[in-house]
Each structure stands twice: as C-alpha cells, then as structure tokens.
Amino acid sequence: MSDDHATGAAPGDSSLGRIETEVALLMRLGEATRRATGSAEHRVLDRAAYVILRHLDAAGPQNVSALAARLNLDGSTVTRQVSALQRDGLIARAPDPADGRGTVISPTPAGLHRMAAVQAARTRLYGDILADWTPTDRDTLATLLSRLNQALDSRTRHR
C-alpha cells in the first residue's frame, strides 16, 4: 500500500501537502500574533482559561471529567486549570444536580466579563487583519475553518 493510500490521500494530491504546511504556519503565526499584540485585553486570560470559559459559557455547567473529555485534555490538566480559574474568581463550583457527591463548574460574572474582553479584542484583531477581504471571503474562511475543526474534533474522539 502506498503512503498516499495509507493516509487517505489521492496519489499526487499536492493540495494535502499545502494544507499541512498552511495549518502548521497558521498555528505558529497565530501564537506569534497573540504574543506580539500590544493590547492588554489579549493577555487577561491565558489560552487554556479562555477555551475553558468559552466552552462553559456555551455548554453550561460541567463536571471536570466532562470538560476534560470535551476539550480532549487529561483530567489532571483540567483540574489544575480549573483550580487556577477558581483562585482568580473566574469560575465557581456548585453541587452536581445529577450526582450530589460531585461538583460542576460554571463561569462567574467576572470570568464571563474577562472572556468577553478577550473575545472582543480577538474579533477586532481579525477584523484588522482581514479588512481587505470581501465579506464573502471572510464567510468562506469561517465556514471552512469550522469544517476543519469539526473533522479534527471527530477524529480525536474516534481514536
């Protein structure tokens, strides 16, 4: 079996090599852009805290195990991150209504405020970066990135 066939690539499909390169570059430049951005709003939350708060805002209160599973992270990693968020007053723990022995976490108003500030700063940044793109091109990019993220998420869940 050829390498192309083993990876699901059609023989001679150079677009997959370009995609791999562009995704690697996107991740590197995204992080470099975050670090280089002068706005303090980008730095009021680290990346992990932002992702946790965004998920809790969208999905509602969760126990740490469910949160770890959804974010594809080790439970001990999420526990450490949640402890730091709680120490900073950005999340709160409450008894789990489904299991009185456990707890669920949810964002506090301060956590939601900080998350919204980071989200607004990031939205403005991408607005500046993509200012010369047409609305159709921006919409196409959003759609394709969503599809890529869904495919990546599906693959990690089925491994």
Side-chain angles (χ1 to χ4, degrees), residues 1-154:
M1 178 181 293
S2 74
D3 285 342
D4 285 339
H5 189 345
T7 61
D13 188 347
S14 65
S15 64
L16 294 176
R18 287 179 42 221
I19 291 166
E20 183 280 327
T21 299
E22 294 301 331
V23 168
L25 189 58
L26 174 67
M27 292 188 309
R28 185 183 66 76
L29 289 172
E31 182 59 23
T33 300
R34 186 190 66 78
R35 283 193 318 269
T37 299
S39 171
E41 292 171 305
H42 289 270
R43 294 189 188 91
V44 297
L45 286 174
D46 68 27
R47 185 178 36 221
Y50 179 73
V51 169
I52 288 170
L53 288 167
R54 285 289 307 260
H55 176 71
L56 291 172
D57 184 40
Q62 308 239 310
N63 66 37
V64 171
S65 297
L67 184 61
R70 177 64 190 99
L71 298 178
N72 293 307
L73 294 170
D74 182 69
S76 63
T77 299
V78 173
T79 297
R80 281 191 306 277
Q81 292 168 339
V82 163
S83 293
L85 285 165
Q86 185 175 15
R87 211 173 27 253
D88 292 341
L90 303 177
I91 60 120
R93 293 181 188 263
D96 186 340
D99 177 3
R101 298 169 294 166
T103 61
V104 293
I105 56 171
S106 57
T108 63
L112 291 174
H113 177 74
R114 221 182 269 187
M115 181 205 68
V118 172
Q119 184 179 16
R122 288 179 174 192
T123 300
R124 282 191 304 277
L125 174 65
Y126 284 111
D128 291 345
I129 291 168
L130 302 174
D132 63 344
W133 289 40
T134 67
T136 300
D137 284 349
R138 289 192 304 259
D139 189 54
T140 298
L141 177 62
T143 299
L144 293 174
L145 286 171
S146 177
R147 284 179 60 194
L148 177 60
N149 283 328
Q150 288 171 13
L152 291 168
D153 187 50
S154 177

